[in-house]
Amino acid sequence: MRSATETPKTGPFSYSGGRVHRSLDSLGDRLMYRLAYRNLGTSKSPLESLVVNHSVQVSVGKRAQVVGVRWYELRNPNGTNGAALYQQGTFSPDSTSRWMGSIAMDKVGNIAVGYSASSSSVFPSIRYTGRVPSDALGTLGTENIVKAGSGSQNGNLHRWGDYSSLSIDPSDNCTFFYTNQYKKSTGSFNWSTEITSFKFATCQ
């Protein structure tokens, strides 16, 4: 398992026309918001699960690093020997960097992860992926684009927000709500916020 401290930067990302490059901090030295708890059992017969993610470096080029979302599911946190690792994986299906992740689990054990995505040809965008319990351990499914960005961050700025947030609607414990930032146009301190919701067909 790679240490989070091995991945301090996500960049450099391309800005206007693919000719200007700046590094963006992936905050890879810490876990991202938030460590989420779910009890899939009952109070008398619990099946407790914790899910969490952080950013890791998956490849290094001459001018660009590629960063992916590293995620984990831990089971039985109140067991005699503490939490045990149930599954883990790194989501990085191509040369686009993915960072600023947030992870959550619904009441039937489906997991979703939302994050920012960007590369030399992709403006910072908002995406998510997920899995159902019957999927192979450590894998995530098809990626979905929530919002395609249309601008980049310029100026001497290397921070892309502090965190994003994926949460479960407590009214049904099925609906995921995700919020993250994007740019409508290139500039400094002109970000916009997107809020989206979705749920798995298997959760009713």
Side-chain angles (χ1 to χ4, degrees), residues 29-192:
D29 60 340
R30 69 204 73 178
L31 296 175
M32 297 307 298
Y33 183 83
R34 60 185 161 70
L35 177 69
Y37 170 86
R38 172 68 63 183
N39 183 3
L40 297 170
T42 65
S43 58
K44 292 184 177 181
S45 181
L47 176 56
E48 296 175 297
S49 181
L50 299 167
V51 289
V52 70
N53 84 100
H54 62 109
S55 302
V56 294
Q57 180 179 301
V58 293
S59 68
V60 180
K62 290 183 178 179
R63 297 193 63 187
Q65 300 174 1
V66 175
V67 167
V69 174
R70 182 75 176 171
W71 62 277
Y72 310 87
E73 180 183 358
L74 307 173
R75 290 277 179 92
N76 199 26
N78 293 307
T80 303
N81 297 316
L85 180 64
Y86 177 67
Q87 62 174 323
Q88 60 181 317
T90 300
F91 190 72
S92 181
D94 53 36
S95 59
T96 294
S97 280
R98 292 162 176 85
W99 82 109
M100 204 62 66
S102 187
I103 189 169
M105 178 186 286
D106 67 20
K107 68 180 181 181
V108 297
N110 299 315
I111 294 173
V113 188
Y115 44 84
S116 294
S118 185
S119 72
S120 60
S121 59
V122 176
F123 286 122
S125 302
I126 302 171
R127 303 179 181 183
Y128 74 90
T129 184
R131 58 172 283 110
V132 298
S134 59
D135 289 339
L137 292 178
T139 63
L140 293 171
T142 303
E143 184 173 69
N144 299 276
I145 298 176
V146 173
K147 192 74 174 181
S150 52
S152 289
Q153 181 172 274
N154 64 11
N156 190 29
L157 301 173
H158 299 284
R159 189 72 167 261
W160 183 259
D162 291 323
Y163 58 89
S164 65
S165 177
L166 182 65
S167 301
I168 295 290
D169 188 335
S171 69
D172 64 4
N173 278 301
C174 286
T175 303
F176 293 82
F177 278 90
Y178 185 54
T179 182
N180 201 347
Q181 72 176 53
Y182 70 101
K183 292 270 192 175
K184 293 180 179 178
S185 61
T186 295
S188 300
F189 302 105
N190 65 328
W191 63 83
S192 296

